[in-house]
Each structure stands twice: as structure tokens, then as C-alpha cells.
Amino acid sequence: GVLLWEIESFSEQFFTQSGGVFMKILAHALLDLEEREQWYAEGGSVRHQQAWLMGRFCLKEAARNWIFQQTGELLYPSEIIIRHNDAGAPYLDGWWNGPMIQAPEVSLTHDRYRAIAAISEAGQFVGIDVERIGRLQKPEHVVESFTAKERVLVGNLAGAELQEAILRIWCAKEAAAKYYGIGLQGEPALFE
């Protein structure tokens, strides 16, 4: 089976109050040394740092829960290290990978509002994606990246119906690309 884990993000105001001390405390509680260095190097906007950190929070908590269900051992979040393959897909590592249990397969989707992780046993690949309805400002730009068959599916739609159909197709493409561990690679038409 697949374990799904979702968390809603704290408000941006909560992360930025008192000079961003809460976000730094959370980063130091969740991340191992290598991940903390990466987080500090990421820089960027508070919104970007928040989404990055909350994605890792969600994935680590999902993995902790999954590993606990399998072994009865509850790891610290910093013992679950999130790495990325050459295509950018996340995978889990740590001292426990092998000696205690084989690392599960993972998929992660996140934005500034929420993060959702999917976890399944090693060798049982998983892909997940979620998008917020109403976020598309120019749906026609997304439709341009669709295949001819996909364009037919949305051709007679308008308004909210069009947005929902486009996002359903897009999420299916993203989830499939994540399932294969390669991402869309700027070529969404590869996944119909």
C-alpha cells in the first residue's frame, strides 16, 4: 500500500516574525548538517524557503511514520536524509537504510500552502502531484504543452471547468513523471 501524508504550511507571517527565528529552529530540528547547509545556500525568498522546508518536513514525517509502522522504531527527522537522483527526484537515505529497513519509494508535491508526500515499499514506485484550482492565470499557456489528444479533452471547456480539466491532466502528467523518477524535464508532451 501507499501511505499519504499531508501537512498545511504555517503562515508566512509566522515564519518571518522575530527575524525568522521559528523557521531557523524548525530547520535545525528537522535537517541533518548537509541538508541545513543546502537550506541556507538555497536563499531566495521567505516563501521559497518556507515551501522547501515544509516539503522536507512532510516527507520526513511520512517516512518516520512508515518506518515506525514497519519496524517499531521511531527515528529523529534528522536521521532521514532526503537526497536527489540525477533527474532531481527525491529519495531517502540514512544510517538505517539497509541495516534496519530498505528505504521506501517516495514522491513529494508542495506549494506555499501545503505539502503532500506519498510513501511505498522499496521497488513499488509512486508518483503524486497536486495543484490548487484557480491558480492558473493563463490556462492557454499550459494547453500549448499538451498533446493533440489532450487538447481535444479541454477544447470545448471554459472558465472553472477548463481550469479543473487542465489541472487534472497536468497533475496526471507530473505524477507519472515522478513515478518514473525523471520529472517532466521540460517535455510535458512525453507523458500523455
Side-chain angles (χ1 to χ4, degrees), residues 4-31:
L4 291 176
W5 197 271
E6 178 178 3
I7 61 169
E8 288 194 30
S9 186
F10 300 101
S11 72
E12 190 172 326
Q13 179 185 10
F14 184 72
F15 273 116
T16 58
Q17 69 182 343
S18 301
V21 70
F22 177 74
M23 191 160 39
K24 290 175 185 169
I25 290 169
L26 189 59
H28 282 260
L30 295 173
L31 306 174

Side-chain angles (χ1 to χ4, degrees), residues 2 25-26 39 41 49-50 77-78 108-109 114 122 147 155 163 168 183 187 192:
V2 174
I25 290 169
L26 189 59
W39 182 71
Q49 286 184 315
Q50 176 183 348
S78 60
L108 174 68
T109 184
R114 75 169 59 134
T147 66
Q163 280 238 4
R168 285 181 182 276
E187 298 285 339
E192 184 171 61

Side-chain angles (χ1 to χ4, degrees), residues 56-125:
R56 273 136 190 89
F57 180 27
C58 183
L59 188 50
K60 285 174 178 260
E61 286 303 302
R64 282 172 30 119
N65 187 287
W66 186 87
I67 292 167
F68 179 75
Q69 287 177 3
Q70 307 301 313
T71 67
E73 296 290 328
L74 189 59
L75 300 175
Y76 290 104
S78 60
E79 293 179 295
I80 299 168
I81 302 167
I82 300 170
R83 301 191 190 285
H84 294 87
N85 68 17
D86 292 339
Y91 67 93
L92 303 179
D93 201 7
W95 67 265
W96 50 271
N97 184 15
M100 181 191 299
I101 190 169
Q102 199 65 24
E105 303 295 339
V106 300
S107 185
L108 174 68
T109 184
H110 61 85
D111 61 18
R112 63 188 262 206
Y113 303 104
R114 75 169 59 134
I116 303 172
I119 307 264
S120 62
E121 66 183 72
Q124 299 296 315
F125 301 113

Side-chain angles (χ1 to χ4, degrees), residues 143-164:
V143 173
E144 288 173 4
S145 70
F146 285 180
T147 66
K149 288 181 184 178
E150 291 166 342
R151 287 185 194 137
V152 168
L153 295 174
V154 299
N156 296 325
L157 303 176
E161 258 189 329
L162 175 63
Q163 280 238 4
E164 182 176 344

